[in-house]
Amino acid sequence: MPSTTSLPLRVLVVDSDAAARAALCARLQGMGLRVRPAAGIGEAAAWAGSGVPIDALMWAPSPADGDAGRACARLRAADAYLPIVVVLDAQDDAQALAVFATGADDLVQGELDDALLGARLARHAQRAAMLGACRRQLERQRGIQDNIADPVITVDDHGTVLDLNTAAMRRFAAPGAAALAGQPLEAVIGAAPRQLATGERVWLRGVEGAGFWAQASASRWGEDGSARTTWVLRDLTETMRNERMHDEFLASVSHELRTPLTSILGAVGLLASGVAGRLPPTAAPLVAAAQRNGERLSKLIDDVLDLAKLEGDRMTLQCQTQALAPLAGEAVSAAQAYAARAGVHLRLRCPASTPCTGRGVSVDADRLLQVLANLISNAIKHSAPGQTVVIELSDAGDGQRIAVTDEGKGVPKDFRPHLFEKFAQAGEGDQRGAGGTGLGLHLARVLVQRMGGRIGYAPGPGEVGSTFDVWFPAVAASRPARARVAP
């Protein structure tokens, strides 16, 4: 292996003539080089393949070495990048051509100045060092690629396969089949590049019909002025199996919890209404607390199930173009009773200058009402009796906005980055006392994003109060918009 250090060059001297070999070794040592002698090709090949560092090989061919071409091939087999410099006694152009035809790197004929000889050896060693570094880098990259468990396929700008890793060969190449390189990607995996580029789950045709669901990611790069794309095809078989187990578990838990919870809530509701007789003053608060917590548990079950469907991309949204004002009014009406119990006023604003009913947005009405119900109930929870929660509609750029503003204490600064995270709840006592699952805002964000909108937060003036706003792009005509459903 060639040296990349500044140490003296290590030269292997091969000559079957002991006297000539000793003379050349002495000369090289006199130049400050480190020398290792070899009596013939067999010994030289053994040294070259032993792993002992060698920067260059100087070889004086003799009849004892046999055919020069085979001799060079034997040395190359031991170390493909070892520079071979042939030494001839006298100038002979015909012999020089024959030497280069064997695969040697350089030729020294007759007497050569020591400085020039040293410079040529150093140059060959430098070149070999660079080739060796490139080889090691290629081997490292190939090793990394072949140890990736997912198929990795590189194609050109026409979608023709150029290279595959071991996992791709195992997945798509039948034993004894023709080489996959050079074939169209779609013919190899059963999906076109445009399908992979969507980022959605796609069914790939494996070897002998063993297909699988996958998700692709692309890395685009260039080579010699041509575009290349490397596709990593992530096998989703295990992921989807875990999703099914997750869904089955949630469905089972939901069923097992809902059935007794419905009975409990029914019985508690009857007790609270006085059907079983008037409750003692000490029992009434306990029954009311049981009813509130039962309803809270029921909402938690609903939220967990909705979250599982949304994160698994398995919830179908029935989006249609409709006006926001009626939906906002319906949400406010539904929250009036809760606001009245809390002593909070609700106010719906739709300025006359804003064409709230003249333009529509594409939303799922039920899911938008779920989002608004969450925002309005949160605003009520964090408002003191006598305060007002304002629900305001307005045009915003090329879309429409609904803002829910309260006059409460606001959201602590250190908690704002976590507002829309799962199970996130501020640590202040009054906010914890208001109850909640910690899933409402996260669900609201996911639902709004799935409907093509945005949801945000802003503190009120002087950090008092909060405004949560939802924005959707406006559409001119009524048209149904189907939500994407993943497998």
Side-chain angles (χ1 to χ4, degrees):
M1 184 65 63
S3 171
T4 58
T5 71
S6 59
L7 294 174
L9 293 178
R10 292 161 289 203
V11 181
L12 180 62
V13 176
V14 186
D15 196 330
S16 58
D17 185 326
R21 182 173 67 247
L24 182 55
C25 287
R27 179 187 177 189
L28 296 176
Q29 287 171 335
M31 294 166 54
L33 307 183
R34 291 184 289 175
V35 179
R36 183 178 299 276
I41 292 298
E43 185 180 351
W47 278 115
S50 68
V52 175
I54 300 172
D55 296 309
L57 181 147
M58 293 191 71
W59 170 40
S62 72
D65 296 326
D67 179 75
R70 290 195 181 93
C72 270
R74 188 174 179 187
L75 294 172
R76 292 292 187 206
D79 187 337
Y81 296 94
L82 177 63
I84 299 175
V85 179
V86 174
V87 181
L88 296 179
D89 293 332
Q91 183 81 22
D92 186 333
D93 290 346
Q95 193 173 14
L97 289 173
V99 164
F100 284 118
T102 65
D105 296 288
D106 202 356
L107 175 66
V108 175
Q109 299 183 89
E111 291 297 324
L112 187 66
D113 178 73
D114 286 355
L116 183 55
L117 175 60
R120 287 168 69 168
L121 290 174
R123 179 57 181 161
H124 286 304
Q126 183 183 30
R127 173 178 170 274
M130 290 188 293
L131 289 174
C134 291
R135 179 192 63 183
R136 290 191 297 274
Q137 179 67 20
L138 288 173
E139 290 174 347
R140 185 182 302 116
Q141 293 300 322
R142 171 53 64 178
I144 292 172
Q145 185 167 298
D146 282 342
N147 278 282
I148 296 175
D150 292 319
V152 179
I153 303 177
T154 297
V155 301
D156 62 17
D157 52 357
H158 300 294
T160 302
V161 174
L162 300 176
D163 186 53
L164 309 90
N165 71 340
T166 300
M169 293 295 294
R170 190 166 51 244
R171 282 284 193 171
F172 302 110
L180 298 182
Q183 298 186 37
L185 180 64
E186 186 170 4
V188 172
I189 68 174
R194 63 179 180 278
Q195 294 173 272
L196 302 180
T198 64
E200 305 295 334
R201 295 177 179 180
V202 59
W203 178 259
L204 302 182
R205 182 185 63 239
V207 63
E208 297 178 352
F212 61 100
W213 286 103
Q215 194 168 32
S217 59
S219 174
R220 293 177 175 81
W221 49 286
E223 181 181 47
D224 297 330
S226 298
R228 302 283 184 260
T229 303
T230 298
W231 292 100
V232 179
L233 308 174
R234 186 166 66 90
D235 187 348
L236 298 179
T237 302
E238 186 66 19
T239 300
M240 295 178 71
R241 187 181 73 86
N242 291 336
E243 287 177 354
R244 285 194 297 272
M245 293 175 61
H246 178 260
D247 292 346
E248 290 169 2
F249 170 76
L250 287 177
S252 176
V253 169
S254 171
H255 175 74
E256 295 299 326
L257 288 176
R258 279 186 189 281
T259 302
L261 182 59
T262 301
S263 299
I264 292 171
L265 282 173
V268 171
L270 291 173
L271 288 175
S273 66
V275 171
R278 187 172 182 178
L279 295 174
T282 55
L286 297 176
V287 172
Q291 189 172 24
R292 286 195 306 273
N293 283 286
E295 291 170 351
R296 183 181 176 188
L297 179 57
S298 179
K299 185 178 186 304
L300 175 60
I301 294 172
D302 291 339
D303 286 349
V304 169
L305 288 174
D306 283 347
L307 182 62
K309 292 178 181 178
L310 281 168
E311 292 189 336
D313 218 4
R314 292 178 298 278
M315 177 180 284
T316 301
L317 300 182
Q318 303 297 331
C319 294
Q320 292 185 339
T321 301
Q322 50 203 304
L324 280 182
L327 295 175
E330 186 176 343
V332 171
S333 297
Q336 285 290 0
Y338 178 43
R341 290 197 300 270
V344 176
H345 306 290
L346 296 181
R347 182 178 300 165
L348 176 62
R349 290 180 182 170
C350 181
S353 59
T354 300
C356 297
T357 58
R359 303 168 69 192
V361 293
S362 180
V363 294
D364 182 312
D366 291 336
R367 294 302 177 180
L368 179 57
L369 288 173
Q370 180 181 345
V371 170
L372 294 178
N374 179 270
L375 297 181
I376 295 172
S377 65
N378 280 348
I380 294 170
K381 287 176 188 177
H382 298 94
S383 298
Q387 291 183 336
T388 300
V389 172
V390 177
I391 299 88
E392 184 173 11
L393 280 73
S394 61
D395 276 1
D398 57 351
Q400 293 190 11
R401 174 177 178 263
I402 303 178
V404 179
T405 303
D406 65 63
E407 301 172 329
K409 291 185 177 181
V411 178
K413 287 184 178 180
D414 59 347
F415 182 69
R416 291 172 191 171
H418 310 289
L419 261 176
F420 296 98
E421 294 178 0
K422 285 184 287 189
F423 302 107
Q425 290 180 300
E428 294 187 1
D430 63 321
Q431 291 175 339
R432 284 192 179 276
T437 66
L439 286 175
L441 286 177
H442 178 75
L443 280 170
R445 180 179 67 174
V446 179
L447 283 168
V448 169
Q449 289 175 344
R450 284 286 304 275
M451 289 186 285
R454 299 192 299 265
I455 186 171
Y457 163 81
E463 301 292 325
V464 177
S466 299
T467 296
F468 287 86
D469 65 285
V470 178
W471 176 91
F472 293 101
V475 293
S478 296
R479 56 176 177 81
R482 294 184 303 171
R484 170 175 49 83
V485 181

